[in-house]
Amino acid sequence: MRLPSQRFRRELRILIMLVLCGLLIVAVGPLVLDRYSVSILVRSFLYGSIAVTVDILWGFTGILSFGQSAFFGIGAYACGLAFDHFGISPGVALAALAAGLAVAGLVALLVAWLAFGARVSALYVSVVTLVLAIVFVQVIYAGGNFTGSSSGLSDFDTFDLSTAAWFRIAGAGLVVVTALGWIFVRSDMGSLLVSIRENETRCRYFGISVTWVKGGLLLASAIVAALAGFAYAGYNDVVAPDLGNFQFGTQLVIWVALGGRGTLIGPAIVAVLVDFVSAYLSGSLPFIWQLIIGGVFIVVIVAMPQGLGPACVAVIRRLIARPADAAPVAARLIAVPLRPTARGAQTPAIQLTGVTRSYGSLHVLEDITFSGRSGELVSLVGPNGAGKTTLIRCISDGEERTAGRVALQGCEIGRMAPERCVRLGLGRKFQAPTVFDALTVGQSLRVARSRIERLSFWRCADEIRLPEAAMRVVRATGLDTQLATTVRHLSHGAKQALELAMVLAMEPSVLMLDEPTAGLTKSERTVIGGILMELVAQHGLCILLIEHDLAFVREISSRIIVLYQGRIVLDGAVEEVASSELVRTIYTGEPQALGEPV
Amino acid sequence: MICIARSLRGFRSRILAAPVVALAMLAGGSLAPAMAQDVVKIGIPIGLSGANSVVAPSVVQAAKLAVSQINAKGGILGKKVELDVADDGSGADGAVKAFNSLILEKNVNAIITMETSAARNAGLPIVSRAKVPFIYTSSYEGRSCNRFLFVDAWVPEQQVPPIVDYFQKVKGAKTFFLVGSDYAFGRGMLAFTRKYIEAHGGKVVGEEYLPMDASDWTPVLSKLRAAHPDALISSTAGGAPNVTLTKQLRGAGIKVLFGNLGIDEGTAKAIGADATGTYMSQSYLTTLDNPQNAAFKAGLKQMFGADMKTPNDLSEPEYDGIYLYKAAVEKAGSLDPFAVVRELPKVSFLGARGLITMDKEHHAPLTMYLGQVTADGSVRVIQSFPHVDPGDQCPKFKS
Amino acid sequence: MIDLFLDIVTTAGILYVVAVGLLVVFGVLKIINFAHGGFLTIGGYAALITTELHLSPWVAPPLALVVGIVLGMVVERLIVRPLYSRPLDAILATWGLSIVVVQLITIGFGRGTQFVMSPLQGAVPLLGTSYSLYRLAMLATALIIGAAIAAILQGTRLGLTARAVIMNETLAQSLGINSALVRFVTFSVGAGLATMAGALITPLLSIDPLMGVPWLLNAFMLVMVSGTSLVSLALASLVLGGAQVVVSTYGNPILGALTIVVLAALLLRVRPAGFARA
């Protein structure tokens, strides 16, 4: 097992080599290429940089933006408008650049505010960015003589730089953006982006402000795009509404898909190549060329969603049997003690008062009132459809309940989003194992702990600190030997255990578990039961457990609450509930009812 | 590959060669050294797609006719003339690509074309940088001044007065409504029109613009109807917007005196019955009765047969422009851009529109015709205005 | 005032005709067909062919409908079916298809703008004003199409199964409904409605290879706010189309062009269900 930092050092050497190589090509390019190629490649390089940002947004984080072109356009118009109306001077250029980046940034934040709010569909960000590009074009149209309307602006005084100089600037920009992007996506922060793509809800329940992460990412990519746009206008001496339209935005997405989403290098290369070749072919066979691009795009999307780049790499890998570079990479696990938490012994860890959830006239939960203290393991039982999972949702997401109050550690959750409830000490494990398929076990654990230990933007930590309880789950289920394994390849039981370990890693003080042992072996189940009891007894957690295995419940619970048709029908000590006639009646027809373990 | 080897000689490391060669391969055949100049290349960046797509084919035909005639008579300075046509998408962004491709890749000796104002403005910096003579053969809003730019078509000062004068004096129109495509030509023409109307005692009761590529005029027509003007004057991009405006205007049942600054005979034909009664002011009409026009039309007919596009006020100047360039090159005795630019204002060509000389600050005095579209789609000449001066377009070029 | 009213209702009618095919596909397949604009364009060129063959302009819409249904079958089988489980990718692949359509049309018909014959010319006197006959006919067409789809959904076996799939696909499948067939038929019909809409709108406008794009965007936004309901779509067309006309007439036509997309985007932010269940 190699440590991330060892891999990082090795890869950094290669990266530096590649960067130097890239810079060298960029430096000598104008000497060996003809004027036309140089002049075209300036543009292609700028497009390549934006394609990289689109890949980080879409390929890694899952934000499909059709409007990245609008930020490019904003940057371009900042340059064009300033130079056209005020002439060129260093002051004007700097002010224009600052203004362009500021406007692009503000627009990005507006888009983020609109698109990444809670409860909007994943498609909505695509809708908003599409609208952004349309609005951009129409705003330019509406600008009359100021923006040049549909004519755009041209022939303004611009930077006195040769085409070769622009070639080097744009080329170096592309190399730097790609290299920085590459470091970023391979860092711990990069794992977080993937985890957002894989399962945004799970991220929110790790207390990660997904909205802020996505917003920040959009902001950064908007600024890169605006910079590229500024350079484009300065170089070409022309700005036109087409620069920001949604066709260009879509074209960027096409390049990324062709190059391979989530590969960075692929999109950058494809963007440069396609734009460059287009320029040559647009004279002789423009339609055929576009036709080929369109056709290949369809085939790639339908048949190889990975993109052309990875497909080629796979073929090359197969042809050249490289000496196995198979040493798995994963961070070390370090056990740490739970952080001491200041919690008043008096206030209940969890307090529900009159909680109700209705869909129209249908009441799924009605007037639920109970409390759980620290050091208590409360089991929620009841037949399917009794409202157990709904109840957990109402406790962990302020928007869910129709009426009533919920307090965690004495703080009302009000209408708080899950990530803020989590900050009150809540931890929630979902019913079906909810994990990040594309990450390794180690990365998953690191992401789960991001609220406590900040993630680095440029490297992977060598150590993952886990509280003792999480550590024990990991060890007991053998996950500690699979830290470098991609989660997709884990068994169902291992995924269950991983999710539990991830939830424990965030050191919650109120833990809600929805069937945590489903799919585990008997021995694993015993271990987990032991860990849960220890968390309650020694660390004073309050655990709310949904379980069907009543023998298990009986063994570890300190109290049992029985839900039936959305109401609490019984709330009492284990023996009291277990011997209740009512419970027996409710469970009639369910084979495992209070019987022996299955 | 020879030139690669030469430029690499300075580098010590051999490793360098790999990426450089790769990049060179990327550049494809573009590395071929410039061939000795034995042809004269004329570049035509033009709107094959977009707003100008209706009129562009006729312009290309006029250029092809001129070139084939010149080549048949021994070319220019004994060199064969070649045409390079590139689509500029009728817009600025496309024009940058088209001009770059023609000037940097195809190394044309001159640009002679009819384009939208947006495309012309976007191409001018490239022309200035590369120092290529540019004859602009499209009527436009005026006041585009560049050392390398010459214009052999009309500007507002030449086109607007015939229509407005006729509407005011003969038809007694008092109130005018102006409609345009939102781009330099549309706005420039209407700005002049408004000034001219107001200077002659008329009143402009509305001025509306739609984006160049817009095709739904409903809201503009509603405003027009509400304003009840005596006359409507439109200045849209050539082609599609013109047609949709006319069709929807008549479709909406609005019967108003209609002067169209952007229409030509071909478009009028394409529109069909809805164009009947529209007034236009042009420097060229197919019905002009002179030997040059007869020869021009016959030449097109012979060369293109059934595919011939109706020549028009935007295509005939292209024909003149190529001959003007030929005259200037021959007078200069070389293709040197500075020598050619020096001679361009001094040479003349007798074409279908009469004798054209771009001697007024890089612009040309022209004979203008006021016409009206008749029911069969042809244009009836109502009045002609000989030798209309373009006015002070570029005072810095005053000779 | 009468003019404004007529502008609003006829604009709504046109929008409805243009968007209904997209809505039908979205309703049943739950994917956004970005080739909708391409199908509109194909419909426009189908109308152009009838004009060039000197056929009656009345032939154009039914011809376009047939062409669209046939093409829809092919597209569903080859491109859309493999992507049912990847709705975002389906958007991209259908957008790729519309690029292909645009280029094929360009190769076949050239880049130029062209025009078709209108079956109905001129204006008719109505409510004290005279109004474009063709726009009024578009309103009537919208009502007929809406009624026809409703009749099929309510009155036929296909409609019943389609409704079952719209409401709960898993359940429908477990009841033995062949949802693949329902999807196939629906997509073809949706494509046919799109091409027919293309043929219907062209007499008002001009035809060029890119004519479908602006319509696609408006239709997309209308469907986003309408969900899967024909009634919601009618309401959305009326409200958003009306807003567009009002803004264009009393404000600025350029801002008017933005009205539909911006209002729809804001509406979705405030009320993700849009006009559905309104």
Side-chain angles (χ1 to χ4, degrees), chain A residues 284-481:
Chain A
S284 38
L285 45 142
F287 319 126
I288 306 285
W289 173 244
Q290 286 298 318
L291 190 66
I292 294 171
I293 294 278
V296 171
F297 177 62
I298 298 175
V299 171
V300 165
I301 291 287
V302 173
M304 39 180 163
Q306 296 310 310
L308 289 176
C312 295
V313 170
V315 170
I316 294 170
R317 284 250 166 92
R318 212 167 299 152
L319 292 179
I320 309 166
R322 291 193 311 168
D325 179 25
V329 177
R332 272 192 301 264
L333 294 183
I334 307 273
V336 290
L338 274 180
R339 292 170 311 157
T341 45
R343 61 177 85 90
Q346 262 65 43
T347 49
I350 179 168
Q351 169 78 56
L352 275 71
T353 320
V355 169
T356 300
R357 175 66 167 121
S358 330
Y359 296 92
S361 58
L362 174 74
H363 301 295
V364 180
L365 286 178
E366 230 179 326
D367 194 24
I368 303 291
T369 302
F370 74 90
S371 63
R373 284 175 294 104
S374 295
E376 213 176 13
L377 199 160
V378 183
S379 287
L380 274 176
V381 299
N384 285 331
K388 302 186 295 283
T389 302
T390 308
L391 178 57
I392 289 219
R393 271 216 297 279
C394 287
I395 299 172
S396 55
D397 184 345
E399 293 282 352
E400 283 286 337
R401 66 190 190 282
T402 317
R405 299 214 309 270
V406 175
L408 294 170
Q409 305 294 3
C411 303
E412 292 274 343
I413 68 164
R415 289 284 168 208
M416 280 184 196
E419 58 266 37
R420 294 186 58 202
C421 294
V422 166
R423 272 169 230 159
L424 296 175
L426 187 86
R428 175 179 172 192
K429 193 208 157 301
F430 290 84
Q431 189 167 10
T434 305
V435 287
F436 310 121
D437 276 342
L439 294 184
T440 65
V441 171
Q443 286 170 326
S444 303
L445 290 167
R446 186 68 193 85
V447 166
R449 216 170 142 75
S450 64
R451 196 174 64 82
I452 296 169
E453 288 172 38
R454 290 202 159 276
L455 298 175
S456 165
F457 280 89
W458 60 279
R459 62 185 191 90
C460 295
D462 276 343
E463 291 171 355
I464 303 168
R465 289 162 210 277
L466 287 184
E468 195 59 50
M471 202 69 175
R472 282 187 48 197
V473 174
V474 169
R475 290 214 180 100
T477 51
L479 282 173
D480 55 343
T481 61

Side-chain angles (χ1 to χ4, degrees), chain A residues 478-492:
Chain A
L479 282 173
D480 55 343
T481 61
Q482 293 177 288
L483 287 176
T485 309
T486 308
V487 172
R488 187 178 298 119
H489 301 133
L490 293 180
S491 69
H492 178 80

Side-chain angles (χ1 to χ4, degrees), chain B residues 34-249:
Chain B
M35 273 177 289
Q37 185 89 43
D38 50 8
V39 294
V40 177
K41 281 187 161 188
I42 294 175
I44 305 188
I46 194 166
L48 296 177
S49 59
N52 272 353
S53 58
V54 172
V55 72
S58 63
V59 177
V60 174
Q61 286 191 346
K64 284 185 175 160
L65 176 65
V67 167
S68 82
Q69 289 175 348
I70 291 171
N71 283 338
K73 291 189 183 145
I76 300 178
L77 294 178
K79 299 172 201 281
K80 198 167 155 288
V81 184
E82 276 180 10
L83 280 186
D84 258 312
V85 181
D87 181 20
D88 67 17
S90 303
D93 198 39
V96 172
K97 291 176 194 163
F99 274 82
N100 267 325
S101 164
L102 290 172
I103 292 178
L104 298 179
E105 186 196 5
K106 307 280 170 58
N107 290 309
V108 297
N109 299 96
I111 299 278
I112 303 174
T113 191
M114 167 265 155
E115 285 197 294
T116 60
S117 296
R120 180 195 68 243
N121 285 337
L124 272 177
I126 302 169
V127 165
S128 313
R129 227 177 292 146
K131 304 185 177 51
V132 176
F134 179 7
I135 302 177
Y136 185 59
T137 66
S138 174
S139 41
Y140 82 116
E141 70 284 0
R143 302 207 154 62
S144 187
C145 302
N146 184 297
R147 201 177 157 189
F148 294 95
L149 178 72
F150 290 82
V151 182
D152 74 346
W154 49 254
V155 290
E157 282 81 348
Q158 293 166 301
Q159 197 214 12
V160 172
I163 290 190
V164 174
D165 287 352
Y166 184 78
F167 281 8
Q168 287 189 319
K169 290 177 192 152
V170 180
K171 296 285 178 183
K174 304 257 180 313
T175 54
F176 290 80
F177 196 95
L178 310 181
V179 171
S181 287
D182 192 2
Y183 73 129
F185 175 75
R187 284 189 178 267
M189 290 300 292
L190 293 188
F192 178 83
T193 308
R194 172 184 277 268
K195 245 184 4 207
Y196 192 83
I197 290 170
E198 285 167 354
H200 290 77
K203 189 164 180 286
V204 175
V205 292
E207 186 174 341
E208 293 295 331
Y209 296 93
L210 273 196
M212 240 166 113
D213 51 0
S215 51
D216 184 5
W217 296 87
T218 312
V220 172
L221 295 182
S222 294
K223 286 188 186 177
L224 170 67
R225 216 191 318 238
H228 286 299
D230 297 329
L232 163 70
I233 292 184
S234 76
S235 172
T236 59
N242 223 330
V243 180
T244 49
L245 171 63
T246 310
K247 283 183 138 185
Q248 290 170 26
L249 180 75

